[in-house]
Amino acid sequence: MGGWKLEVGKMVIYMAFPVGLFHYFNQPEYFEEWVTKIKQETYPPESTKHKKMIEDAIKDWNKKKEISLLKALDEAK
C-alpha cells in the first residue's frame, strides 16, 4: 500500500529538478559579472586611433576608385 508514496516522491523530484534549475539559472546577479567580463573581452572599447586609421584607409580607397573611374570615363570619350 506504500507504492503510491514512492510514485509521488519521484514525481516531486521530476518536477522540482527542472523548476529549481530554471530558478537558479534565471537569476541575473549570479551571472552579471561573468557576462560583463565576456562582453568586454569580445567587444573591447573602440580605440580612436584605430577608428581614425580605418576611416582614412576607406577614404583613400574610395578616392583611388573614383580617380580610376574618372580616367575610364575620359578614355571612353
Side-chain angles (χ1 to χ4, degrees), residues 44-53:
E46 289 187 9
S47 168
T48 55
K49 180 181 175 185
H50 291 138
K51 188 174 182 178
K52 179 73 172 147
M53 288 172 57

Side-chain angles (χ1 to χ4, degrees), residues 1-3 10 12-13 15 18 24 27 31-32 36-37 43-45 48 58-59 62 66 68 70-71 75-76:
M1 283 275 179
K10 287 195 310 187
V12 167
I13 291 172
M15 293 174 73
Y24 175 76
Q27 301 300 315
F31 304 102
E32 186 173 1
T36 305
K37 185 181 118 195
Y43 304 106
T48 55
I58 291 171
K59 286 178 186 177
N62 285 336
E66 185 178 346
S68 68
L70 289 174
K71 284 182 183 179
E75 291 175 3

Side-chain angles (χ1 to χ4, degrees), residues 22-37:
F22 178 81
H23 176 72
Y24 175 76
F25 286 106
N26 283 307
Q27 301 300 315
E29 61 269 5
Y30 294 145
F31 304 102
E32 186 173 1
E33 181 180 335
W34 176 75
V35 170
T36 305
K37 185 181 118 195

